[in-house]
């Protein structure tokens, strides 16, 4: 199947009542791990690259690896998504390259650190939506600010510092016409999300439910959704790592989100942990080895295992064959004619 838009994957997920994991990549082995997991579980999938990933891998390598994935797994609906675009130019260059969806994270200023004003966020996001939809590409916006910092991106602090205001979420969706909306409900990027297992007082699921009630037609996105499993932390520490005790987002909480409008779930850290643990194990147990394939093969397998598990838990498993690809040209026609309604149906408070 050719690369498809995230909008199509999420529309289908909404029809089927499931969520779709969006997994970050930086290299070939991570793309391979995700595609094998998708094949194993028969899942549609979103592969996403951050600005840091684009810098690390270079755009052309990333794009051609994604084309190879689409070619090798024609049965898998696959979207290529820009994670946390910081400016119009970043989104524009991703679209010109061939990404089939972009995130314009206007919740932060272009420095990727300082919270932006609501009006700044609306203005930049609308500009990206207009540009992208004309070209058949879907757009994710963000309202509210996540906690933590990954690779220099993020406002820092706790995930509860800037949770999403439901009134602002409604106004933002109406004024920008985004296809999907990332909301801040207490999660953070990275491994250090919570100092104890989070319960209802930490993760604002009530807020999520309130937003979904008022924006039933807007696909919600949960960032910072790694579960940071204890067994993956333990492997790293057993083989010489020094992770401090930490908790991530329990899968059961994500599943509550999926029942209440969450369609895209972003996961990066869990895969980083799986890869690092597997490599450390080989280094510790067989220090005489020096062929990268000796440690990259188990690293790739460890990531595949995590991704396949999440695909099953999010409910996307089994849905790869449910639909045919809508071409990017037809998506553009749909946006132009209004048949792909992007303005949400806003219900009363
Ligand atoms: O949003 C954060 C993702 O985990 C990507 O992280 O910016 O370090 O590539 P990165
Ligand atoms: P994690 O750090 O929890 O994996 O979140 C990843 C993410 O939100 C990417 O945008
Ligand atoms: Zn994120």
């Amino acid at each position: 199947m050719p690369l498809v838009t995230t909008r199509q994957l999420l529309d289908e997920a909404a029809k089927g009542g499931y969520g779709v994991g969006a997994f970050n990549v930086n290299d070939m082995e991570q793309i391979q791990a995700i595609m094998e997991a998708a094949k194993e579980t028969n899942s549609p999938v979103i592969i996403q690259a951050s600005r840091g990933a684009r810098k690390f891998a270079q755009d052309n390598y990333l794009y051609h690896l994604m084309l190879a994935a689409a070619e090798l797994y024609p049965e898998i609906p696959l979207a290529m998504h820009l994670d946390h675009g910081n400016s119009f130019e970043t989104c524009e260059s991703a679209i010109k390259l061939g990404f089939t969806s972009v995130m314009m994270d206007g919740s932060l200023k272009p420095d990727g650190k300082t919270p932006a004003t609501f009006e700044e966020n609306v203005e930049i996001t609308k500009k990206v939506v207009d540009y992208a939809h004309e070209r058949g590409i879907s757009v994710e916006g963000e309202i509210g600010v996540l906690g933590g910092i990954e690779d220099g991106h993020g406002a820092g602090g706790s995930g509860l510092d800037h949770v999403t205001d439901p009134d602002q979420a409604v106004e933002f969706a109406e004024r920008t016409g985004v296809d999907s909306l990332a909301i801040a409900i207490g999660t953070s990027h990275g491994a250090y999300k919570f100092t104890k297992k989070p319960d209802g007082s930490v993760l604002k699921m009530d807020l999520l439910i309130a937003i979904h009630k008022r924006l039933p037609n807007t696909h919600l996105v949960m960032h910072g959704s790694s579960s940071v499993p204890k067994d993956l932390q333990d492997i790293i520490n057993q083989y010489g790592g020094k992770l401090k005790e930490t908790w991530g987002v329990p899968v059961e909480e994500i599943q509550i989100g999926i029942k209440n409008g969450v369609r895209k779930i972003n996961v990066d850290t869990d895969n980083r942990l799986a890869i690092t643990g597997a490599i450390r194990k080989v280094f510790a147990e067989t220090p005489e080895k020096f062929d990268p394939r000796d440690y990259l093969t188990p690293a790739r397998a460890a990531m595949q295992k995590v991704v396949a598990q999440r695909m099953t838990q999010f409910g996307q498993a089994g849905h790869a064959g449910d639909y045919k690809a809508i071409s990017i040209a037809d998506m553009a026609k749909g946006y132009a004619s209004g048949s792909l309604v992007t303005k949400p149906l806003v219900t009363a408070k």
Side-chain angles (χ1 to χ4, degrees), residues 24 26 50 52-53 83-84 150-151 153 189 223 268-269 272:
N24 288 74
N26 300 274
S50 66
D83 193 24
H84 292 286
E150 278 294 282
D151 213 11
H153 180 98
H189 289 118
H223 281 244
D268 186 358
T269 297
R272 293 178 175 188

Side-chain angles (χ1 to χ4, degrees), residues 22 24 48 83-84 103 146 150 188-191 193 222-228 249 264 266-270 272:
N24 288 74
Q48 58 188 12
D83 193 24
H84 292 286
M103 174 186 193
L146 256 77
E150 278 294 282
S188 312
H189 289 118
K193 300 183 196 301
M222 256 177 92
H223 281 244
S225 295
S226 278
S227 302
V228 195
V249 183
K264 176 170 177 281
N266 284 15
V267 174
D268 186 358
T269 297
D270 284 352
R272 293 178 175 188

Side-chain angles (χ1 to χ4, degrees), residues 5 8 133-137 325-340:
T5 62
Q8 188 190 0
H133 284 182
E134 210 182 309
R135 291 158 180 80
I137 301 303
I326 300 175
S327 72
I328 304 295
D330 282 345
M331 290 297 290
K333 281 186 206 146
Y335 285 123
S337 71
S339 71
L340 285 170

